[in-house]
Amino acid sequence: MRPPRTERGRLVLVLCLAAAVAVFTATVPLLRGWFDLRVYYGTVDAWVHHGGHIYDYRVPGTTYGFTYPPFAALCMLPMAFVGLNTAIVCALLLNLAAVSVVLWILVGAELRRYGWFGWALAACTLAVLEPVRDTFSFGQVNLLLLALVLVDAWLLSTGRERWAGIGIGLAAAIKLTPAVFIGLLLLARRWRAAAVATAVAAAGTLFAFLAAPSASRFYWGHAVWDTTRVGRLDYVSNQSLQGVLARLAAPGEPSHTAWTVTAVLVLALWVWRTHRALRAGEWRAAFALTGLTACLISPITWVHHLVWLLPSFAVLVQAGRLRIAGVLYAVLCSSVVWLWFDDASGIDGFIGSNIYVWITLGLLLWLPVGQPRAGRPFFSRIASATTAPTPTPTAPASAPLSGQSVSSAAEAAGAGAGEGRDRDPAGRAGRSEPTGVTRPSAANPQSSSERASS
């Protein structure tokens, strides 16, 4: 299907798509009511204005509170000096900016061919993707973290290594999951960037320890090891390997040995496939595979965390796997896992309630990687050990800027230029545990906070 050739036709198409997105968003998914943002806002407000502790705050009427490291609370301190509505508007603007950065880095060269029309289509496409729409309606930080990590990818791909690692380090200090990208830098032998990322994450953590010592001691000494504070492992929104095992074992506890073995196997698969991507200079694929791995091995990966799959979709589209990308996209728009909200038993429950896990695992296994492209590889130190440009008798070999995703000479020039909790979708008030049941409050005032945001 070809896009309209006239500006008027394109405008009509975009307006029709925007109307369809608005109807879909208003009728199909359950809006999350800025739940996570209310957690963040209430936490910093109580901390600054009422002398409370970071992990003692609860959203009124719930048992849910803050779940991130203390450095994240420090980053959110400006919210304590504005009203909640202003904080909501700021969160929307920040997420819109993050989406723009993600799109520009992943598919900016392709979108620039179509001008405003391409960007409008991309916006409509992302607006109905469940992880993205949940990140917006929860007021979550997932897209901001993804943007920080991808900025580092762009810096490395364009030879600006001096600043590379800062984004990954900040993201890892705010939330632990992005720390796996430091492993990617090590695997790629980008020692300086890995050192910068580690130093930034450590500096942020140390700064938080100085600013909030009691909260830091509680978090790193207790809360970080206690997944039950975040939510119920078998809750259907947990689309990680641990979630699969927990639903199989429910109402019992999942096997820690089984989870460890599966996590190690996934990490081994990640190393193998990522090494192939690095050798071929496919930086998007390397970062995509790392995001997939982070989602799989994390003890808890809520549906809105799956924005880390966006780089994988970019790889599929750029590899010409449009049908596969379309099918996976449709499934991730459908909220299908919520059909097993009440009961995930049986074969249908095993397949259906974990379908986002199967998508993530399938992408890790079969995402197209390892096909050498024109131009100098993204991680040139890896590639230079195995491949070398061979000049032809008639002309010297030339290489564009490193890391460019090149399907033609024109594309090369263009590229070089430039925790919330999911609730019952049926709206049943009696069964709307955003994160499932957490364990009872402990005697320690700090440990009494059962987290709602992850």
Side-chain angles (χ1 to χ4, degrees):
M1 180 180 176
R2 294 182 178 180
R5 295 185 176 182
T6 65
E7 287 293 303
R8 186 174 183 178
R10 293 179 176 183
L11 180 60
V12 170
L13 176 59
V14 168
L15 291 176
C16 291
L17 287 175
V21 168
V23 172
F24 177 86
T25 304
T27 59
V28 177
L30 181 68
L31 298 179
R32 310 303 183 180
W34 319 109
F35 187 86
D36 278 21
L37 186 63
R38 293 176 187 275
V39 172
Y40 308 152
Y41 182 86
T43 296
V44 297
D45 180 71
W47 184 26
V48 173
H49 299 298
H50 305 288
H53 294 284
I54 293 174
Y55 300 108
D56 282 345
Y57 175 77
R58 304 289 191 282
V59 175
T62 77
T63 60
Y64 305 115
F66 199 72
T67 63
Y68 295 152
F71 180 73
L74 290 176
C75 294
M76 297 172 185
L77 274 179
M79 285 194 293
F81 305 100
V82 299
L84 177 60
N85 290 335
T86 302
I88 291 173
V89 171
C90 290
L92 283 172
L93 293 176
L94 285 172
N95 274 324
L96 286 171
V99 167
S100 300
V101 170
V102 169
L103 287 175
W104 178 74
I105 292 174
L106 291 177
V107 290
E110 290 79 1
L111 293 180
R112 282 195 294 272
R113 298 177 187 172
Y114 302 98
W116 70 270
F117 180 64
W119 288 92
L121 289 181
C124 291
T125 300
L126 288 182
V128 295
L129 192 69
E130 185 175 7
V132 174
R133 71 181 189 239
D134 275 3
T135 292
F136 271 87
S137 59
F138 272 125
Q140 256 284 347
V141 299
N142 308 306
L143 287 168
L144 296 171
L145 300 180
L146 176 60
L148 283 173
V149 169
L150 287 180
V151 165
D152 271 353
W154 176 77
L155 290 172
L156 289 167
S157 71
T158 54
R160 297 172 173 86
E161 293 189 39
R162 180 179 179 183
W163 304 105
I166 295 177
I168 291 174
L170 286 173
I174 292 171
K175 189 175 180 180
L176 300 180
T177 304
V180 71
F181 286 91
I182 299 177
L184 171 61
L185 297 176
L186 294 173
L187 189 62
R189 300 179 187 176
R190 290 297 181 123
W191 312 121
R192 186 182 188 279
V196 169
T198 303
V200 169
T205 302
L206 177 61
F207 178 66
F209 199 96
L210 296 174
S214 62
S216 295
R217 284 193 297 268
F218 170 72
Y219 180 82
W220 295 107
H222 173 71
V224 71
W225 314 108
D226 185 5
T227 57
T228 61
R229 291 177 51 80
V230 181
R232 213 176 63 224
L233 289 175
D234 65 332
Y235 187 54
V236 73
S237 181
N238 184 14
Q239 292 293 303
S240 69
L241 292 173
Q242 182 81 296
V244 175
L245 296 173
R247 283 184 284 277
L248 282 174
E253 292 293 322
S255 168
H256 293 290
T257 301
W259 177 76
T260 301
V261 170
T262 56
V264 169
L265 290 175
V266 165
L267 286 171
L269 178 61
W270 166 71
V271 170
W272 172 56
R273 302 222 70 218
T274 302
H275 187 67
R276 290 187 61 194
L278 296 176
R279 287 167 61 93
E282 298 177 358
W283 70 269
R284 288 183 180 89
F287 274 78
L289 292 168
T290 307
L292 296 169
T293 302
C295 291
L296 288 169
I297 67 175
S298 175
I300 292 182
T301 298
W302 304 124
V303 168
H304 55 78
H305 295 165
L306 296 177
V307 296
W308 294 101
L309 271 61
L310 290 179
S312 297
F313 278 95
V315 172
L316 288 173
V317 170
Q318 290 155 358
R321 310 293 177 84
L322 299 182
R323 291 183 179 178
I324 296 175
V327 170
L328 299 183
Y329 168 79
V331 175
L332 282 168
C333 290
S334 67
S335 301
V336 64
V337 295
W338 297 102
L339 295 175
W340 289 271
F341 176 82
D342 292 310
D343 183 9
S345 61
I347 297 297
D348 65 317
F350 176 71
I351 297 174
S353 68
N354 302 308
I355 195 165
Y356 294 171
V357 182
W358 309 141
I359 289 175
T360 307
L361 187 58
L363 287 170
L364 182 62
L365 285 166
W366 293 298
L367 193 71
V369 298
Q371 300 299 320
R373 300 181 182 184
R376 191 171 64 188
F378 172 53
F379 291 116
S380 56
R381 295 177 189 173
I382 289 289
S384 63
T386 56
T387 61
T390 303
T392 64
T394 58
S398 61
L401 289 175
S402 66
Q404 292 174 343
S405 174
V406 181
S407 60
S408 66
E411 280 189 46
E419 226 77 342
R421 293 303 173 252
D422 299 280
R423 299 174 184 257
D424 182 0
R428 291 167 292 199
R431 304 189 64 89
S432 61
E433 296 176 336
T435 55
V437 179
T438 54
R439 66 183 184 182
S441 302
N444 188 324
Q446 284 283 3
S447 65
S448 64
S449 63
E450 294 163 10
R451 304 185 173 219
S453 179
S454 169

